[in-house]
Amino acid sequence: MMATRVAILSLGLLIIGFTGGYALPDTRLSFVLYHIGGLGALGLLACGAGVIAGKKGYGFWRAFLFALSLAILLGAAFAYLVPPTGEAGRPAACGGSVSLLVALIVVGFWAFARRTEEAV
């Protein structure tokens, strides 16, 4: 039940973030809204990891929090390490691509994980 609520919240963040970002192009608010939308996308992927882990006998919240926190931390580290060489001082790369890749890798990890003895 809680996984459904988290997935609905993540979907809402995704829709509000990207819709608002497209509606207000080239503003600081669109920058924030796009990041909110990206957080929603990461939340959906983390929910997927949690659901897969739960079906295999592992805890939903442990997998969810691992996927979400690892993706956010590595994405932020990547964004910090890439120097701002884009136009008008904007970063040349965003940590979002790294975050999404990490979240997908974690979902893949849980997809190929073995079932626990309790789940069989």
Side-chain angles (χ1 to χ4, degrees), residues 11 14 21 40 51-52 67 103-104 106:
L11 184 61
L14 179 77
V51 167
I52 293 170
L104 284 171
V106 172

Side-chain angles (χ1 to χ4, degrees), residues 54-117:
K55 288 184 178 184
K56 294 193 175 200
Y58 299 95
F60 170 83
W61 289 110
R62 178 177 283 176
F64 173 82
L65 292 174
F66 177 73
L68 188 64
S69 60
L70 184 67
I72 290 172
L73 290 173
L74 289 178
F78 179 79
Y80 178 75
L81 293 174
V82 173
T85 58
E87 63 183 54
R90 293 182 181 168
C94 175
S97 57
V98 173
S99 294
L100 290 173
L101 179 65
V102 168
L104 284 171
I105 289 171
V106 172
V107 169
F109 168 79
W110 286 112
F112 290 109
R114 293 185 181 189
R115 290 179 166 266
T116 62
E117 294 296 325

Side-chain angles (χ1 to χ4, degrees), residues 4 6 14-15 27 32 37-39 41 55 63 80 82 102 106 108 111 118-119:
T4 305
V6 173
L14 179 77
I15 291 169
T27 62
V32 172
L39 182 63
K55 288 184 178 184
Y80 178 75
V82 173
V102 168
V106 172
E118 299 159 0

Side-chain angles (χ1 to χ4, degrees), residues 6-22 24 28-44 68 72 94 96 100:
V6 173
I8 291 171
L9 174 67
S10 297
L11 184 61
L13 288 174
L14 179 77
I15 291 169
I16 290 170
F18 287 133
T19 303
Y22 282 120
L24 304 168
R28 293 211 184 262
L29 184 58
S30 70
F31 176 79
V32 172
L33 288 169
Y34 282 134
H35 281 85
I36 289 172
L39 182 63
L42 289 178
L44 286 174
L68 188 64
I72 290 172
C94 175
L100 290 173

